[in-house]
Amino acid sequence: MTVIRVGHLYPDYLNIYADRGNIAVLTRRAAWRGHELEVTAIAMGDQVTPGEHDLYYVGGGQDREQLLVAEDLLGKAQALHEAVAEGAAVLAVCGGYQLLGRGYRGFHGENMPGIGLLPLETVAGEPRMIGDVLIECELRPGEQRTLAGFENHAGRTHLDLDAEPLGRVLAGFGNDGQSGFEGCRSGRVVGTYLHGPLLPRNAWLADWLLEQALAHRLGIGEAPELEPLPDGLESRAHEVSAARARARGGRFD
Ligand code: GLN
């Protein structure tokens, strides 16, 4: 049994569309493999100590909530960079994803600093990009998987030219509704616009994150493979969500 330590950033502020449900999925899937997930809230004013957590998680929120946490997050930037350099994994959703880039200009022109963990910038625009979304990813070379979820964002996220998107949009808007990219990935850091929450519909990504966190915890470079679970219901949830995105995923007319 391994204890996997998760640092949940700003659970009181960034939890739109029940994003904290992602933590519930990680906890159960770890437990089913005999591991324990120890989740600590990292709130406003709390310190981040590199090495203390194997996985950091930050959810989404409205511009208002993002504005409230952005300055505080900046104070944690150096420690988070160190933690990631030492191999910690990160999952950031929507508002949290935007703040992992260099900055986000909100809908009313507010400039929010980002912590530069991901090579991207975000500027809010109109119309909001709302709807079901389906993307295709290849986190492990040669292994293509899909992620299904729901997006609702004003922010247009532009990746740097050499940035690695999390996936290609099959249906829906993605980062900006034009590039065909969704999310961003840098090593063990993953940012995405997908809510739903994300992990109940995409169990394979939960396992990938647990594997990265375990690799950090055990101090090994290569992530161990978790044994598969039956996942009948989880696959069904994914299929329903994917079909919905294919049928009615958002697009600019
Ligand atoms: N406030 C941000 C936007 O509108 C993020 C929204 C969200 O987290 N759903 O782009």
Side-chain angles (χ1 to χ4, degrees), residues 14 16-17 19 59-64 66 93-98 104 106-107 112 122-125 128 150-156 193 195:
L14 298 179
I16 210 166
Y17 301 117
D19 279 340
Q62 298 185 27
D63 285 15
R64 193 176 153 274
Q66 289 175 273
V93 174
C94 204
Y97 165 45
Q98 295 169 340
Y104 171 47
F107 195 70
M112 300 174 224
T122 306
V123 177
R128 286 191 78 79
F150 174 78
E151 60 183 331
N152 182 354
H153 51 110
R156 274 81 175 138
Y193 273 113
H195 298 281

Side-chain angles (χ1 to χ4, degrees), residues 19-35:
D19 279 340
R20 72 159 60 89
N22 290 324
I23 297 284
V25 172
L26 291 168
T27 302
R28 285 310 303 161
R29 296 186 74 81
W32 282 328
R33 271 71 168 245
H35 303 306

